[in-house]
Amino acid sequence: MIEIKDLHKSYKTGNNSLHVLKGINFNVKEGELVSIMGSSGSGKSTLLNILGMLDEADEGSYTLDGTPIKNLNEKIAAQYRNKFLGFIFQSFNLINYKNAMDNVALPLYYQKLPRKEREERAMHYLEKVGLADWAEHLPNQLSGGQKQRVAIARALASDPKVLLADEPTGALDTKTSYEVMDLIQGINDEGRTILVVTHEPDIAQMTKRIVNLKDGRIIDDTLVNQVKALSNV
Amino acid sequence: MFNVESWQEIFETMRKNKLRTFLTAFSVFLGIFILVILMGFSNGIENGVSSQFESDATNKISIRTGITTKGYQGLNPGRRLQLRNGDYDNLNQKFEENIEYKTATYSTWGGQVNYKTQQGSYRIEGANADQQFIENQSMVSGRFLNQADLLQKNKVAIIGQQMKMDLFKDEDPIGKMIMLNNNVNFQVVGVYTDPGGSREESRLFIPLTTAQQVFNAGQDIRSISYTVKMSEDFDEAVATSTAMSEAINQDLRNRFTVAPDDRSAVNVDNTLEEAKKIYGLIDTIRYVFWFIGIGTIIAGIVGVSNIMLIIVKERTKEIGIRKALGALPSQITGMILQEAIFITAISGLIGLLAGVFVLEALSPLVETDFLRYPKADLATSLTTLLILIVAGAFAGFIPARRAAHIKPIEALRDE
Ligand SMILES: Nc1ncnc2c1ncn2[C@@H]1O[C@H](COP(=O)(O)OP(=O)(O)OP(=O)(O)O)[C@@H](O)[C@H]1O
Ligand SMILES: [Mg+2]
């Protein structure tokens, strides 16, 4: 599903250049649930953003579902983001003046689906994350866990091949984190490929594979025995 | 880009961001509103001042004599100078080639006029046939004086619209007999209207020759008026008119032996020169209003641009989210532009209508001699609106396009 080879990324700030990713090689197969760990500043978010086509690498190759992602024009990039990728952010990134349902329906708007179908599908995914009764609520009327579940529903709405989550539980308490992880595990069980960036070892243990980053390099990549989130709730 | 879905999306956005919608709308509204009002008043002043002129022909030269106030060449002050038919004929002959219309008058104030039981006091003017054109009068019914009336000293009268209403009410005055000063009967042959209004319509014209006879005036005349043949070029006409009135002035001063600076003794008025000054004034007023108007438009453009910049800045993160969800750059730009254009167009239109409405409501209250029919020019208002819409769109376009093309991750990082 994802193949990256020798990926490099530097940030230029003024005259300085900060080499963040120093040659990353790794593959993710369809249906995997991978966590990316590492200390703060090790380049986890940078890697995930490149995988999500929110940012571009300086060097190296990236193939998503057999398609090389390189020098794409903005139109194609937008289509890939829309069809192949779903994002879940630590800070939720919901549009604050749209209610839960409209937020979930937004990627479908960019797929040019008719309004009625958008709403039906949005409702379906809200049900799936257990928030059907909150469809009309604005983000600021929801708790952090609820917001993240809306964000998950939104990421799922466009039926992407890969879900990318950057510290999805970073802003949540333990109990809520596990609920969110349970949701993510469920989605993975349905066969969807998911990458989760996290700080927390217990969250990482709930995935099937842990990739450890240090100073822009992968230092460890191991399969784990997945702990079901539900057993902890 | 302009499909129903995107409109729905935009209406929703506007509904949920009322303050920002209101601010944009208000600055456009205010700009157009002020402009329409300004334009209305500018036009009103122009109308008012021009109408001051319409009461008489603008190319008029009027000649009057009075009493000398200065001694000159051994003659004492205090002489009464009297124009006679001979002077009139003399001037006619001398300036024939520049004269368009000519008239000499002999008038009395407070003449008593009776019709049946109705009576009133009016100014009675003996005049020539051309008087009508010099005074800018037009006939409501009947005819004005003609050459035959003057030759035969006919006892016919042309009355003003106001007089007709006073004395005749709903009756048709044509052919009716009226009595002047309780001793002479005249037949009404025409009713005129004068742009000078009811004051100018409270007069009655009879043939000059008849007037001189009835009032025992002999050859005396009170005033002479001409209009000057207009050439295509306004400045040239003013020059001709000025030269002619100076020549007449000189001629009469020689004839009556009057000091060159004795204005009340011989007075030659040249309307065209006055007109030129007033037209100059109108132009100045117009420029001033345009200046303010353009200033208002620029302020409006700056206002709209500013708001658009702020809106785009404020929405950067939202733009990042939308891009992460798969929005095309063109969809982002389109969304912002469509909203900007829609708000500007609607609020501009409302401003225009409000301006027109306020002018309509206000105009009866503020109308004076110098301010009439304050109306905004529709074409100019619409053009201004268009300029504002384009400016708003343009002001929104630049930052919107920039925002639409930055990397989503950078937009998302915006707080
Ligand atoms: N836009 C940017 N410009 C300059 N430097 C950046 C930028 N984004 C990230 N960095 C730097 O790159 C390095 C890696 O950042 P990144 O966000 O990938 O770390 P991370 O592993 O996600 O850390 P955290 O666990 O704190 O989220 C950090 O040193 C950070 O300061
Ligand atoms: Mg990070």
Side-chain angles (χ1 to χ4, degrees):
Chain A
M1 181 61 64
I2 289 173
E3 289 169 37
I4 52 176
K5 282 204 188 75
D6 202 27
L7 206 69
H8 286 264
K9 173 76 183 176
S10 314
Y11 287 113
K12 282 154 204 74
T13 42
N15 291 328
N16 302 326
S17 174
L18 183 68
H19 202 172
V20 179
L21 298 182
K22 302 167 180 167
I24 305 276
N25 292 287
F26 96 126
N27 298 329
V28 178
K29 289 196 284 293
E30 189 167 354
E32 278 198 271
L33 173 53
V34 183
S35 56
I36 300 170
M37 293 194 71
S39 55
S40 185
S42 56
K44 306 182 295 291
S45 298
T46 307
L47 176 61
L48 201 76
N49 290 335
I50 291 170
L51 295 178
M53 298 173 64
L54 299 176
D55 204 350
E56 284 166 34
D58 300 331
E59 269 174 56
S61 74
Y62 170 25
T63 313
L64 173 64
D65 197 34
T67 315
I69 306 298
K70 183 126 193 153
N71 297 328
L72 297 177
N73 70 32
E74 292 209 58
K75 196 170 166 173
I76 305 221
Q79 277 164 2
Y80 282 10
R81 282 196 288 267
N82 186 258
K83 289 216 185 81
F84 292 157
L85 303 163
F87 297 97
I88 300 159
F89 302 93
Q90 179 176 1
S91 56
F92 322 126
N93 280 343
L94 299 175
I95 292 178
N96 56 19
Y97 64 83
K98 285 180 178 287
N99 66 26
M101 171 145 87
D102 290 341
N103 263 292
V104 176
L106 196 58
L108 305 173
Y109 170 75
Y110 290 114
Q111 287 187 351
K112 300 202 160 62
L113 291 186
R115 189 179 196 87
K116 201 162 144 36
E117 196 180 333
R118 293 203 302 262
E119 288 177 355
E120 274 169 20
R121 278 183 53 181
M123 208 54 210
H124 168 78
Y125 284 104
L126 277 176
E127 268 165 32
K128 198 176 163 78
V129 299
L131 286 177
D133 294 340
W134 303 82
E136 303 293 326
H137 286 65
L138 291 174
N140 62 13
Q141 299 164 328
L142 299 172
S143 71
Q146 288 170 327
K147 280 190 231 184
Q148 197 58 297
R149 276 145 68 192
V150 172
I152 292 171
R154 181 179 68 184
L156 289 174
S158 57
D159 195 18
K161 294 196 187 323
V162 178
L163 268 190
L164 302 169
D166 193 349
E167 306 200 30
T169 58
L172 308 176
D173 64 30
T174 312
K175 182 170 176 290
T176 323
S177 296
Y178 290 172
E179 282 167 4
V180 166
M181 281 315 289
D182 178 49
L183 203 54
I184 286 176
Q185 286 177 337
I187 296 161
N188 176 247
D189 290 344
E190 290 168 10
R192 208 177 303 268
T193 317
I194 304 177
L195 272 75
V196 181
V197 165
T198 183
H199 266 115
E200 300 152 87
D202 54 336
I203 297 294
Q205 289 300 324
M206 293 174 186
T207 65
K208 295 173 175 169
R209 172 182 165 195
I210 301 177
V211 173
N212 235 308
L213 278 189
K214 191 179 181 202
D215 290 337
R217 290 197 178 86
I218 294 177
I219 52 163
D220 187 46
D221 186 345
T222 43
L223 296 177
V224 289
N225 276 327
Q226 190 183 31
V227 177
K228 282 289 172 188
L230 204 59
S231 62
N232 287 305
V233 175
Chain B
M1 173 161 133
F2 289 95
N3 56 23
V4 182
E5 293 286 331
S6 66
W7 279 117
Q8 279 171 347
E9 178 74 13
I10 279 156
F11 284 137
E12 197 176 283
T13 310
M14 290 194 311
R15 218 176 19 252
K16 292 183 176 153
N17 295 279
K18 290 200 179 70
L19 183 66
R20 136 181 129 202
T21 307
F22 173 79
L23 283 178
T24 320
F26 191 69
S27 71
V28 175
F29 169 88
L30 210 62
I32 296 283
F33 180 77
I34 292 174
L35 193 88
V36 168
I37 299 282
L38 272 177
M39 229 161 31
F41 274 83
S42 166
N43 288 342
I45 290 175
E46 205 174 314
N47 290 339
V49 175
S50 321
S51 76
Q52 291 295 301
F53 270 95
E54 280 161 13
S55 70
D56 290 330
T58 44
N59 50 344
K60 180 177 163 185
I61 293 178
S62 43
I63 302 151
R64 250 164 236 289
T65 55
I67 297 165
T68 58
T69 56
K70 291 185 172 136
Y72 187 58
Q73 294 188 357
L75 292 165
N76 287 332
R79 279 183 303 137
R80 167 174 289 284
L81 309 179
Q82 181 62 58
L83 289 168
R84 301 240 148 69
N85 286 353
D87 298 314
Y88 179 54
D89 295 337
N90 212 6
L91 291 174
N92 288 351
Q93 218 177 347
K94 247 188 191 150
F95 298 100
E96 198 180 4
E97 67 202 65
N98 287 330
I99 293 173
E100 183 190 24
Y101 296 117
K102 53 177 188 281
T103 187
T105 66
Y106 184 89
S107 40
T108 62
W109 278 263
Q112 194 172 321
V113 182
N114 288 61
Y115 173 68
K116 291 186 183 160
T117 57
Q118 304 293 329
Q119 78 159 45
S121 164
Y122 299 97
R123 179 167 155 193
I124 301 167
E125 288 196 40
N128 290 90
D130 282 355
Q131 178 80 20
Q132 179 192 0
F133 305 112
I134 294 175
E135 297 246 7
N136 246 5
Q137 290 153 347
S138 45
M139 303 310 295
V140 177
S141 60
R143 62 170 178 87
F144 201 73
L145 300 171
N146 61 28
Q147 220 46 50
D149 295 330
L150 280 133
L151 285 174
Q152 295 157 22
K153 302 183 183 171
N154 286 341
K155 293 200 172 56
V156 290
I158 322 297
I159 64 172
Q161 177 89 318
Q162 184 61 45
M163 246 183 105
K164 185 246 151 189
M165 286 192 285
D166 294 348
L167 297 179
F168 290 89
K169 313 280 188 268
D170 294 332
E171 227 178 298
D172 179 11
I174 304 294
K176 303 281 155 52
M177 301 304 284
I178 52 176
M179 183 176 278
L180 301 194
N181 293 342
N182 287 324
N183 59 8
V184 203
N185 277 316
F186 279 73
Q187 186 178 34
V188 177
V189 294
V191 179
Y192 70 87
T193 172
D194 191 303
S198 62
R199 192 174 50 87
E200 301 255 289
E201 286 175 355
S202 300
R203 290 180 299 171
L204 160 152
F205 290 97
I206 60 176
L208 172 66
T209 48
T210 319
Q212 285 170 333
Q213 186 184 48
V214 178
F215 299 122
N216 292 320
Q219 300 279 302
D220 291 0
I221 52 183
R222 291 242 202 259
S223 74
I224 300 172
S225 301
Y226 295 113
T227 60
V228 185
K229 279 185 188 150
M230 290 293 280
S231 47
E232 282 292 310
D233 181 56
F234 185 72
D235 287 331
E236 198 182 305
V238 174
T240 312
S241 167
T242 308
M244 181 170 151
S245 56
E246 260 158 31
I248 293 172
N249 200 354
Q250 201 48 53
D251 192 271
L252 292 175
R253 279 172 203 280
N254 290 343
R255 150 111 172 62
F256 289 113
T257 324
V258 176
D261 55 347
D262 195 346
R263 261 193 65 82
S264 65
V266 172
N267 185 353
V268 182
D269 247 357
N270 174 2
T271 328
L272 210 49
E273 214 170 45
E274 294 296 307
K276 192 185 171 179
K277 282 183 204 153
I278 299 291
Y279 286 136
L281 182 70
I282 291 178
D283 276 347
T284 312
I285 293 171
R286 203 185 291 154
Y287 292 142
V288 168
F289 274 102
W290 267 110
F291 183 76
I292 302 174
I294 288 171
T296 314
I297 297 175
I298 291 173
I301 292 174
V302 171
V304 172
S305 309
N306 245 331
I307 294 169
M308 286 314 297
L309 278 171
I310 293 169
I311 287 176
V312 172
K313 183 89 196 71
E314 191 182 77
R315 293 181 79 174
T316 303
K317 184 158 190 158
E318 180 194 336
I319 290 170
I321 297 172
R322 286 175 183 269
K323 285 197 77 171
L325 298 179
L328 298 175
S330 63
Q331 285 172 314
I332 301 284
T333 327
M335 170 180 79
I336 288 166
L337 280 193
Q338 221 170 320
E339 188 184 315
I341 292 173
F342 181 78
I343 296 176
T344 332
I346 294 294
S347 55
L349 217 58
I350 294 173
L352 199 153
L353 291 178
V356 169
F357 181 79
V358 167
L359 278 180
E360 283 293 325
L362 219 59
S363 71
L365 304 177
V366 296
E367 269 189 10
T368 64
D369 284 352
F370 287 96
L371 184 65
R372 272 193 201 185
Y373 321 122
K375 285 220 165 33
D377 178 38
L378 192 67
T380 318
S381 317
L382 286 176
T383 311
T384 313
L385 180 55
L386 208 68
I387 292 174
L388 272 190
I389 293 173
V390 171
F394 197 70
F397 181 72
I398 307 267
R401 216 179 66 121
R402 214 193 51 226
H405 283 280
I406 59 173
K407 275 189 274 182
I409 191 65
E410 277 164 31
L412 278 173
R413 214 176 276 135
D414 191 88
E415 281 310 323

